[in-house]
Amino acid sequence: WVTRPHSPSHFSATSSTIRTSAQSSSGLFMSQGKSKNTEARTEDFLEFINEPMDSTVDPAAVTGTPELDDLAPLVRCIAGAADKRKAEDIVALRVSKVTAMTCFIVIVSGNSRPQNSAISAAIIDDVAEQFDGLQTKRGGAEGTADSGWMLLDYGDVMVHVMTPRSRLYYDIEGQWREKGGEEMDLGDVLLPNVVLKMGEGNEAAELGGGMGGVSEEEDPFWS
């Protein structure tokens, strides 16, 4: 894969107005389940998207549709792994025309701590299996399911596993769309929703068909 330049300040995320709100509400949304290092990276993450468009990027150099991009197989693998763990609202945006930080952003939602952990683990396992042991830059997920926002940083592809509430609050895909991100069609990967058969309810609860034993009052990220 082509490795893009990275720095702590080049991390993806949301606008300055949301960042201001996020700082005042960090106890609810981002500080839980995070180390001090991860919290610091989150602050950098929230600053990046408010920077001017990267002048070093030549949009004309990125040709073809996102579906034909060299990184499309990796993105499909990630989306498929998340889909197998019943992730919702799976979106992939190609952002290589507007930033040199990364090429694709993938955002998925899970409805409980157990489900978000299962989604992240499935992505890590499937990518390693299908792409010669490829690992994230940190060797695993950044953040925990308790934080409501887990990051898998593969360099050229960044994956955000979020609860619906934190995803709506930070609106990562909305910010990248405004900058010119191109949505990739995942229709050939994502399975249509099916009606659960008798006896599958417990598994569905564990992987996201409910709170997985966590009440709404106990999980501030539930929406």
Side-chain angles (χ1 to χ4, degrees):
W1 310 108
V2 177
T3 301
R4 302 281 177 168
H6 283 66
S7 70
S9 64
H10 280 175
F11 217 158
S12 90
T14 186
S15 65
S16 59
T17 54
I18 292 180
R19 179 176 178 269
T20 301
S21 299
Q23 287 177 322
S24 64
S25 305
S26 59
L28 174 61
F29 286 97
M30 297 305 296
S31 63
Q32 296 190 28
K34 285 181 174 288
S35 67
K36 290 184 178 180
N37 288 339
T38 304
E39 283 191 60
R41 294 195 75 193
T42 297
E43 290 302 315
D44 292 334
F45 194 85
L46 293 172
E47 288 176 352
F48 171 75
I49 204 169
N50 199 45
E51 296 178 1
M53 186 179 298
D54 194 335
S55 60
T56 65
V57 174
D58 179 11
V62 181
T63 60
T65 65
E67 294 78 20
L68 298 178
D69 194 284
D70 289 344
L71 290 165
L74 176 57
V75 173
R76 290 189 179 96
C77 173
I78 291 168
D83 192 44
K84 287 191 297 184
R85 289 296 178 264
K86 299 180 174 62
E88 299 177 354
D89 300 325
I90 301 172
V91 173
L93 299 174
R94 185 171 68 176
V95 297
S96 50
K97 289 185 177 181
V98 296
T99 181
M101 176 198 67
T102 190
C103 296
F104 278 86
I105 302 288
V106 180
I107 310 104
V108 310
S109 295
N111 289 314
S112 69
R113 293 181 179 95
Q115 185 190 17
N116 284 10
S117 294
I119 291 169
S120 296
I123 292 171
I124 290 170
D125 289 346
D126 283 13
V127 168
E129 179 180 348
Q130 297 180 33
F131 291 88
D132 299 322
L134 181 65
Q135 299 291 320
T136 68
K137 294 170 69 67
R138 297 266 173 137
E142 297 184 51
T144 68
D146 287 333
S147 74
W149 184 351
M150 302 175 73
L151 172 71
L152 305 176
D153 183 0
Y154 286 100
D156 288 333
V157 180
M158 286 186 172
V159 186
H160 303 271
V161 181
M162 310 179 78
T163 60
R165 187 174 180 184
S166 60
R167 180 171 176 173
L168 178 64
Y169 186 83
Y170 291 103
D171 190 25
I172 295 174
E173 60 260 49
Q175 299 297 324
W176 280 114
R177 288 182 197 277
E178 288 183 8
K179 281 182 171 283
E182 305 170 278
E183 184 165 0
M184 176 175 167
D185 184 0
L186 298 172
D188 59 337
V189 177
L190 306 183
L191 298 175
N193 291 330
V194 296
V195 177
L196 292 178
K197 297 179 180 179
M198 186 71 68
E200 293 181 344
N202 291 337
E203 180 183 3
E206 292 175 2
L207 297 181
M211 288 297 289
V214 180
S215 72
E216 181 174 344
E217 290 74 16
E218 292 172 328
D219 192 342
F221 308 108
W222 176 253
S223 63

